[in-house]
Amino acid sequence: MAGHSHESNLKRIWIVLGLLSIITAVEVGLGIVKPDALHLHGPGTSWLNWIFIILTLAKAYYIAWAFMHLEGEKKWFRRAVVWTAVFLICYLLFIVLFEGGYLYDTLAPLIKW
C-alpha cells in the first residue's frame, strides 16, 4: 500500500513540475522574443505585460493549489483564500498600472526620466 501512494505522489509532483515548467518556458520565450504585435498599448500597459501578469497569477494559483493542498480543502475555504487573493492582486495591479501612468503623465514635464 505504501508503494502505491508513493507512486501517485511522485506522478503528481512530475505533473506539477511539467505544468509549471511549461508556463515558465512560455514566459521566458516571450521575454526573449518580445513580439512586436504584443507591444501595442493595452489597458494601462502593453499586451505583453498583461500576458506576463496573467501567466504569473496562474502559476501562483497552481502553486497554492498543489503545494498548499487547497484542492483537499472545503469549497468555502478555497473560495475565501483564492478570491481574496485575486481581489487584492487585481486592486494592486489597477493602482500600479493606472495611477502609475497618471503620475508619469503628470510629472513627465518636471522630471527627466
Side-chain angles (χ1 to χ4, degrees), residues 83-104:
W83 288 113
T84 302
V86 165
F87 170 75
L88 291 174
I89 289 169
C90 289
Y91 182 63
L92 176 68
L93 286 172
F94 171 77
I95 288 174
V96 168
L97 294 175
F98 288 93
E99 297 298 325
Y102 170 75
L103 283 176
Y104 177 78

Side-chain angles (χ1 to χ4, degrees), residues 2-3 7 25 30 39-40 53 58 61 68-69 83 85 99-100 107:
E7 289 177 26
L30 285 172
H39 280 286
L40 300 173
I53 290 167
Y61 176 79
M68 294 175 68
H69 307 289
W83 288 113
E99 297 298 325
L107 298 176

